[in-house]
Amino acid sequence: MTETTAARIREKHGIKMTLDNSELVKECNIVFIAVKPHLVQPVLQAIPNWDASRHLVVSLAACVSLDTYSCLLSQHTHVIRLALNTGAGVLACSSAMAVTASVTQAESDLVQSLMNSVGTCLPVEEKHVDIVSSLSGCGMAYILLVAEALADGGQEAGLKKRIGLELAAQTLIATGKSILEYKDVHVSQLKDNVCSPGGITVKGLHSLEKNGVRNAFLDAVEIGVKTHTEYAHKFAVKK
């Protein structure tokens, strides 16, 4: 970010801006680390004035463990690790958070409340954070592929692509709302509720299963978890 960009944001939103990370840490009690994982270590080490008793560190960096933050800062530093997706841009983020033992309930509640303002945030054990990233983080791309494929099918049958995309998007919204609102109903039952014996939907589902769609999604999540784990080892810092 340049000083010109900072000035524009400052003027437009009334936000206090600085390009000096040390000054930022001096002025703020809650610090969000929102950089690529390979930049976490140099960014943290370039800031000399961390105070474990005052600062709450909230990490958005993928594949960087809580232990790594403890090694880079202090084992007493309050750190919350978030896994989130780009749904935050439309206030529909699905995220999860894991915390160090030093994080207070008030701090945890505050960050969860912030994340709930742009979607939903669920507390999880840290060992599950990479699974969340693989499922809901990467999952948006997988579901966008589904939407695109549905629209392509509609286009092949004669529908305009834009109309097909809008219909696919609304179908995905309705599906997600059904899962969330009918939590006592198993997802398989929700699926069966759309089907009629010998009907069109049953035949379509048969085609999807025959072509391995379910296993393809299972493999995608599994590969995502494996890759996250590999990167986590790569970026780990130990004393």
Side-chain angles (χ1 to χ4, degrees):
M1 181 183 294
T2 65
E3 182 58 50
T4 301
T5 302
R8 186 165 61 248
I9 295 173
R10 187 185 302 116
E11 180 178 352
K12 182 177 180 180
H13 299 288
I15 300 172
K16 187 175 182 181
M17 300 286 295
T18 178
L19 302 184
D20 185 337
N21 287 338
S22 294
E23 181 182 350
L24 182 146
V25 169
K26 180 180 178 181
E27 294 292 329
C28 299
N29 293 328
I30 303 175
V31 180
F32 284 78
I33 306 298
V35 298
K36 294 293 186 180
H38 69 280
L39 295 175
V40 169
Q41 183 171 355
V43 165
L44 295 184
Q45 291 180 333
I47 303 172
N49 51 335
W50 290 103
D51 184 347
S53 65
R54 181 170 75 88
H55 287 122
L56 170 63
V57 177
V58 183
S59 173
L60 280 65
C63 307
V64 181
S65 69
L66 295 175
D67 282 344
T68 291
Y69 280 96
S70 295
C71 290
L72 291 172
L73 299 173
S74 161
Q75 62 177 342
H76 303 297
T77 304
H78 300 201
V79 185
I80 294 179
R81 182 182 172 191
L82 288 175
L84 65 163
N85 62 22
T86 56
V90 290
L91 304 182
C93 180
S94 51
S95 62
M97 56 183 279
V99 306
T100 56
S102 55
V103 170
T104 67
Q105 188 61 52
E107 290 171 331
S108 179
D109 289 345
L110 173 61
V111 172
Q112 188 170 13
S113 175
L114 287 173
M115 294 309 301
N116 282 337
S117 71
V118 293
T120 60
C121 183
L122 304 174
V124 298
E125 297 179 54
E126 191 186 13
K127 65 182 181 180
H128 294 147
V129 170
D130 289 340
I131 302 174
V132 172
S133 295
S134 301
L135 194 159
S136 60
C138 302
M140 280 196 65
Y142 307 155
I143 300 304
L144 285 167
L145 180 63
V146 171
E148 184 179 39
L150 288 171
D152 285 344
Q155 185 179 36
E156 184 177 357
L159 200 62
K160 289 184 178 180
K161 184 66 173 286
R162 171 45 57 186
I163 293 176
L165 282 172
E166 289 191 17
L167 291 171
Q170 187 60 42
T171 300
L172 295 177
I173 291 172
T175 304
K177 283 189 173 182
S178 295
I179 294 172
L180 293 174
E181 292 187 15
Y182 302 123
K183 292 183 179 180
D184 294 334
V185 181
H186 195 278
V187 66
S188 293
Q189 183 61 55
L190 291 174
K191 172 175 61 68
D192 289 346
N193 290 346
V194 186
C195 301
S196 300
I200 298 169
T201 307
V202 168
K203 296 182 186 300
L205 287 171
H206 174 75
S207 176
L208 292 173
E209 295 285 10
K210 183 174 67 175
N211 285 283
V213 169
R214 183 189 298 269
N215 285 335
F217 279 112
L218 289 171
D219 286 347
V221 175
E222 182 180 350
I223 290 170
V225 173
K226 180 180 178 182
T227 305
H228 272 92
T229 302
E230 291 172 352
Y231 281 138
H233 287 304
K234 178 180 179 180
F235 298 119
V237 175
K238 297 182 179 179
K239 289 186 177 179

